[in-house]
Amino acid sequence: MNANTPRQNPAERDESAELLSRTARDLPSGRHEFHRERLMAQIHDMQREERTATAAPAKVRRFRLPRPAIALPALAAALAGIVVAGVTVSGGSGGGKGGGVATGPALTTQLGAATTKGVPQLLDQISLAAADVSQPAVKPGQYIYIESKTADTFVKTVDDKSSLASHALHNRQVWMSPDGTKGWLIDPAVNDSPEGETLSLPDEKGNPYKASLNAPSYDYLAKLTTDPDALLAKIYKETKGHGNSPDQEAFTTIGDLVGESYPPADLYPALFKAAEKIPGVVVVNDAVDAVGRHGVAVARLDETSGARDEWIFDKETHVFLGERTVQVRKETSEGVVIKPGTVLYTSAITNRTVVDAMKQTPSQAG
């Protein structure tokens, strides 16, 4: 399961073709590959900006894009160069690609106090709870279904005046095949159509799918080591050069795998045991997920961005509830002050299971 502030150098439109051909090694330091649908949203937004350039459109810049671990690797590696560079996208209503989602004032929260006391004990409890979770096995032909509620914050500029705004909380549904080659997304902050869009691969350009830590399939996760030390070493090795620091990127990567993916039962506790070994991990005794459920969070502060990633768990059962990224230190982006307590991104997992067909929901499965 997400938060660095965007870089300040806008990508030039005539560089898009070149960026599309780059590989992962050309990614600038900052974030690992963003998942496919958000990247495609950036393409749509840039195209829309070209079409509406004379209409004095509003501009928006997101601080953090949700980073579910569903990606189109070849395209993600190229387009992340565009996204991380901080492209200013446009939309007549100021909503950009999220035109189907209402916008309002920036989301805020009370900052929970962070402490290093009790980190090993909490992560041990979470690991034990994860090991006890009974979840359906994924069979060929079936799909992993994940439903969540999400919202995010961005800089909105209208008539050269910038301010913070947030998309309203909205429903998100993802289906993905075990091998990662077939999928579907319904998210009004991303899709042009309420029916959603395909995530199936290869895409129209023939880009193949290659699973990795930043673009994992269930089959890929099933082959990962469950030894926490070996798992963490692999994460550090494969994310070297990404993020604002090796430790923060390792924490972020594990968070992505815990969030919008479906780790096999024996891998799930190993991820938490690996997280326990990352320096700087803290406990936040009161954190709230996107639907208002209070829990305890395992968190880490990104010293570069001043934002804290929080994984939120039920205080009694230690079941994963969701995640959020909260600004802890006052920062300024494009002349806009981001105050402590600003919620840059929030999510709550409401359903995570296996279904028999694309776009089938658990209720339809009976």
Side-chain angles (χ1 to χ4, degrees):
M1 62 258 54
N2 108 53
N4 304 331
T5 52
R7 294 173 175 270
Q8 302 302 310
N9 299 322
E12 297 296 332
R13 297 297 183 269
D14 58 3
E15 293 177 350
S16 298
E18 178 184 353
L19 286 167
L20 285 169
S21 67
R22 291 180 182 173
T23 60
R25 64 176 179 273
D26 297 311
L27 285 172
S29 175
R31 296 299 317 151
H32 55 63
E33 292 85 355
F34 292 96
H35 59 298
R36 175 189 186 276
E37 65 271 14
R38 291 294 185 183
L39 297 172
M40 294 308 297
Q42 296 292 327
I43 290 291
H44 293 315
D45 287 331
M46 287 189 289
Q47 292 172 341
R48 183 183 291 112
E49 182 176 3
E50 294 297 331
R51 294 194 300 267
T52 61
T54 60
K59 299 178 181 178
V60 301
R61 187 189 298 273
R62 301 183 201 282
F63 293 106
R64 176 202 198 276
L65 298 178
R67 299 175 277 77
I70 296 174
L72 177 57
L75 189 58
L79 294 186
I82 300 175
V83 178
V84 177
V87 174
T88 301
V89 298
S90 66
S93 64
K97 186 68 175 178
V101 180
T103 60
L107 298 169
T108 60
T109 189
Q110 291 290 325
L111 280 174
T115 177
T116 57
K117 184 178 180 180
V119 172
Q121 292 85 351
L122 176 60
L123 281 166
D124 283 346
Q125 291 173 326
I126 291 170
S127 298
L128 288 172
D132 286 340
V133 171
S134 176
Q135 63 183 37
V138 187
K139 301 176 183 178
Q142 291 186 312
Y143 290 84
I144 295 160
Y145 172 76
I146 301 175
E147 185 172 357
S148 60
K149 298 284 188 180
T150 69
D152 63 299
T153 294
F154 54 90
V155 170
K156 179 179 179 179
T157 302
V158 180
D159 297 329
D160 295 325
K161 183 178 181 181
S162 297
S163 62
L164 286 182
S166 292
H167 281 128
L169 189 68
H170 57 277
N171 200 49
R172 173 184 169 87
Q173 296 169 282
V174 173
W175 291 261
M176 187 57 64
S177 63
D179 65 2
T181 62
K182 297 178 182 178
W184 195 266
L185 170 74
I186 299 177
D187 184 340
V190 175
N191 306 137
D192 286 321
S193 167
E195 285 76 29
E197 64 183 271
T198 183
L199 299 177
S200 297
L201 300 166
D203 65 5
E204 63 277 4
K205 294 184 179 295
N207 292 306
Y209 174 66
K210 183 178 180 181
S212 68
L213 281 173
N214 291 328
S217 65
Y218 177 83
D219 292 345
Y220 173 86
L221 295 176
K223 296 177 182 177
L224 287 180
T225 177
T226 57
D227 176 82
D229 291 305
L231 180 60
L232 187 59
K234 178 180 178 64
I235 290 171
Y236 274 109
K237 180 180 179 181
E238 295 197 11
T239 61
K240 184 178 181 180
H242 293 256
N244 287 332
S245 73
D247 293 334
Q248 185 64 31
E249 188 65 11
F251 186 82
T252 297
T253 298
I254 294 175
D256 289 345
L257 298 179
V258 170
E260 197 174 79
S261 71
Y262 194 80
D266 56 348
L267 178 65
Y268 207 41
L271 289 168
F272 297 121
K273 289 182 179 295
E276 184 180 328
K277 302 174 184 296
I278 300 174
V281 174
V282 297
V283 172
V284 178
N285 287 318
D286 187 33
V288 186
D289 73 2
V291 296
R293 297 177 296 192
H294 285 257
V296 59
V298 176
R300 193 178 193 284
L301 175 66
D302 185 330
E303 294 289 352
T304 301
S305 69
R308 186 170 71 196
D309 284 351
E310 301 177 348
W311 311 338
I312 306 171
F313 300 85
D314 184 275
K315 291 183 179 180
E316 300 296 328
T317 65
H318 298 108
V319 170
F320 179 75
L321 300 177
E323 62 178 319
R324 68 179 183 178
T325 300
V326 183
Q327 195 69 27
V328 173
R329 186 181 66 230
K330 181 180 177 181
E331 293 287 343
T332 301
S333 176
E334 300 181 56
V336 177
V337 175
I338 312 169
K339 297 180 180 178
T342 301
V343 178
L344 305 181
Y345 171 71
T346 182
S347 74
I349 300 296
T350 55
N351 206 329
R352 189 191 324 236
T353 190
V354 177
V355 294
D356 293 326
M358 185 95 78
K359 294 187 277 186
Q360 181 187 66
T361 64
S363 61
Q364 292 170 336

